Amino acid sequence: MKKVILLTLFSVFAFSSYAQFSVTAEVRPRFEYRNGFKTPRPETNFKAASFVEQRTRLYFDYQKEKLHLHIALQDIRMWGNHDQIYKADPALTNVYEAYATYEISPNWYVKVGRQMLSYDTQRFMGGLDWAQQARSHDAVLIRYKNDNGVKLDAAFAFNNSGFEPGFLNAYATPYGLNNYKNMQMLHLSKKYDKAYVSLIFQNDGRQIAAADTSVQYRQTYGVVANGSLSDALSLAGEFYYQGGINGEGQTVNALFANLQVTIKTKLTPIILGGDYASGTKLEDAGKDNAWNPLYGTNHKWYGFMDYFYVGNGHGQGGRTTGLIDLYLKTNFKLADKHTLAVHGHYFMSPVTLYDTRTLLPSTVEISSGLGVEIDLVYKFVVQKDFNIQVGYSHMLPQESMEAIKKYNPADATDIMGSGKNPNGLYNWAFVMLQFKPQLFSSKK
């Protein structure tokens, strides 16, 4: 069936007259070694893990006059996750993107279908390309842009699960997926000669539970700005506020702020910055004061060992404690086609943490310091369509890290001293090869 689809797409697109058609392939295997990745591991009966996961994609693009079609098919699999001779395939094979765009005028176009939504620094809305499966949305996007650097995007989505829901009221069908039921987003940006400013608003509607089909709405408001003060100095900042009601029916009141300074030197740029993501205190039952990045590319920002926000909770008593991240980053050009990125993070909790060696609730406060992480990534661009990346990360957690990391985040009675050693050796390494050649391109 897959072969038939591919041959049909190729035949239809390739032989259409007066059209531009291209096919691009991507093969991206990645070896990972995980030793205390995402959370401190117990010192007994738990060993480091290693595996190879591969992304394989085919991108089809068809352009004719004002119409553009884009289809991206992907296969995500673990090496050795099936027999050499098999019929049942445990891999993830799906359609990553499938959309059509139509240019209404030189200033307006509409995009309809499964698509990536990625904006600004990807703090809140990102494509999550590091994850082999990445992230995409089923949405309608309307875009306006002009020659003065102004761009306005409006996105709308409405989701259902299953096939042809049988209720007349579309909201009466329970939607139990970890996704919005409906979503509306506005993103306005303006480019200047040496600066950039954007505003974002997103309304995220979720059904509280499978048994309750009512929809609650959380709103996120954000502003992003950056600019050059001189040839050697630039500033960037972000601020977000979240309000409304979350998917558990709790009132949301959360903040996120970032300030970053980049200093260019003859050797390498130096980036100094700090993040503040608000959290919910242990004693604030029924409240949600924790910033939620929702659709952000969090691996990019909060340390490559993914201790925070990457499908991976941190907190006490079922409440997210938020995060303060002070970081220093740089990127050395070692030689032509060779670079080395170096990142350092110091993590802290913005809310009071408690000693959980007694059952919660506890009144014994502990340090807000969580730990230090060092990330190194070497990249070699072999040629235009082939690069190699090698990375190593090291986590030096403090005892408080153990207090907010649990094997079962829903277990509010989890205690410290349960086999996790905050002074243990926790590290992560990867080797990734990315091949992305264009296989075919027609000419008009």
Side-chain angles (χ1 to χ4, degrees):
M1 184 62 185
K2 296 174 187 175
K3 292 181 179 179
V4 173
I5 294 174
L6 295 178
L7 289 173
T8 302
L9 287 170
F10 186 84
S11 300
V12 171
F13 290 161
F15 295 103
S16 296
S17 59
Y18 308 107
Q20 179 78 26
F21 174 64
S22 66
V23 181
T24 301
E26 180 182 17
V27 175
R28 196 176 83 167
R30 183 167 69 220
F31 166 82
E32 292 190 45
Y33 169 84
R34 295 184 173 186
N35 179 39
F37 183 80
K38 287 192 175 183
T39 187
R41 66 171 178 83
E43 292 301 304
T44 57
N45 301 324
F46 285 83
K47 304 298 182 182
S50 58
F51 58 90
V52 178
E53 187 180 37
Q54 178 171 319
R55 170 203 286 179
T56 305
R57 282 183 182 172
L58 279 175
Y59 303 86
F60 300 90
D61 284 280
Y62 171 85
Q63 182 81 45
K64 186 175 182 180
E65 297 176 350
K66 297 181 179 181
L67 178 66
H68 173 215
L69 299 182
H70 174 83
I71 297 175
L73 308 178
Q74 70 177 6
D75 177 86
I76 312 298
R77 66 180 59 238
M78 199 76 66
W79 280 15
N81 201 22
H82 50 72
D83 292 331
Q84 292 180 346
I85 302 174
Y86 64 96
K87 289 185 178 180
D89 192 346
L92 168 67
T93 302
N94 62 10
V95 178
Y96 169 57
E97 287 186 306
Y99 62 78
T101 67
Y102 185 78
E103 184 182 295
I104 301 171
S105 72
N107 300 110
W108 291 88
Y109 83 69
V110 60
K111 179 191 290 187
V112 181
R114 192 157 184 79
Q115 57 189 282
M116 176 183 70
L117 296 177
S118 181
Y119 290 93
D120 302 322
T121 63
Q122 302 188 59
R123 293 271 191 185
F124 176 72
M125 188 73 72
L128 197 62
D129 187 64
W130 169 259
Q132 298 285 40
Q133 73 279 5
R135 176 190 285 121
S136 51
H137 302 252
D138 300 310
V140 176
L141 176 71
I142 300 172
R143 173 171 292 176
Y144 166 81
K145 60 180 180 179
N146 63 27
D147 296 334
N148 296 321
V150 174
K151 185 169 69 174
L152 174 64
D153 281 9
F156 309 90
F158 175 71
N159 293 325
N160 280 297
S161 59
F163 294 92
E164 298 184 10
F167 295 93
L168 294 177
N169 180 358
Y171 284 91
T173 303
Y175 185 69
L177 300 181
N178 183 26
N179 192 11
Y180 47 74
K181 176 68 176 178
N182 67 72
M183 182 273 291
Q184 304 83 41
M185 185 201 72
L186 291 173
H187 183 271
L188 175 64
S189 64
K190 165 68 174 175
K191 287 185 177 180
Y192 301 90
D193 290 340
K194 295 184 178 182
Y196 170 86
V197 178
S198 75
L199 302 172
I200 190 170
F201 166 78
Q202 195 243 16
N203 186 42
D204 190 89
R206 295 182 180 243
Q207 287 187 325
I208 294 178
D212 184 350
T213 57
S214 63
V215 179
Q216 300 293 348
Y217 292 90
R218 166 172 36 200
Q219 296 79 40
T220 301
Y221 312 82
V223 57
V224 177
N226 62 68
S228 298
L229 302 181
S230 68
D231 292 340
L233 182 64
S234 61
L235 292 176
E238 303 179 54
F239 179 81
Y240 292 88
Y241 171 75
Q242 285 180 333
I245 308 295
N246 67 15
E248 287 71 47
Q250 300 170 328
T251 300
V252 178
N253 183 21
L255 299 172
F256 174 86
N258 164 266
L259 181 62
Q260 179 175 289
V261 179
T262 301
I263 304 169
K264 294 182 180 180
T265 69
K266 294 181 180 180
L267 180 62
T268 179
I270 298 173
I271 302 173
L272 296 168
D275 295 348
Y276 171 84
S278 65
T280 304
K281 298 179 181 179
L282 177 62
E283 56 267 31
D284 286 344
K287 298 180 181 179
D288 184 1
N289 299 323
W291 159 255
N292 191 329
L294 287 176
Y295 312 105
T297 303
N298 302 311
H299 176 83
K300 175 182 177 182
W301 289 108
Y302 308 114
F304 295 159
M305 290 187 71
D306 292 350
Y307 268 57
F308 308 100
Y309 299 114
V310 184
N312 177 26
H314 64 281
Q316 294 192 304
R319 301 164 181 79
T320 301
T321 55
L323 185 67
I324 295 174
D325 176 15
L326 305 177
Y327 58 84
L328 168 64
K329 301 180 180 181
T330 189
N331 195 350
F332 296 94
K333 184 174 182 180
L334 303 178
D336 186 34
K337 298 184 179 181
H338 299 263
T339 59
L340 176 64
V342 181
H343 298 178
H345 298 265
Y346 178 61
F347 301 115
M348 301 172 61
S349 170
V351 302
T352 303
L353 300 180
Y354 296 94
D355 188 339
T356 56
R357 282 172 286 201
T358 58
L359 296 181
L360 296 176
S362 170
T363 58
V364 180
E365 296 183 11
I366 58 176
S367 170
S368 62
L370 299 175
V372 173
E373 181 176 334
I374 305 297
D375 300 319
L376 306 173
V377 178
Y378 161 76
K379 184 176 182 179
F380 172 34
V381 180
V382 182
Q383 59 186 56
K384 180 182 178 180
D385 48 16
F386 172 37
N387 69 76
I388 302 172
Q389 294 185 48
V390 180
Y392 176 81
S393 296
H394 198 97
M395 172 65 75
L396 300 169
Q398 296 178 223
E399 192 173 42
S400 298
M401 183 75 82
E402 184 182 359
I404 66 168
K405 302 299 293 185
K406 302 178 177 66
Y407 299 115
N408 179 9
D411 182 4
T413 62
D414 193 19
I415 60 173
M416 297 170 66
S418 57
K420 289 172 276 188
N421 179 4
N423 299 315
L425 176 64
Y426 304 123
N427 52 9
W428 171 70
F430 76 91
V431 178
M432 184 169 73
L433 310 180
Q434 184 176 35
F435 306 87
K436 198 173 182 180
Q438 188 176 76
L439 304 182
F440 175 82
S441 179
S442 67
K443 294 183 179 180
K444 293 184 180 180

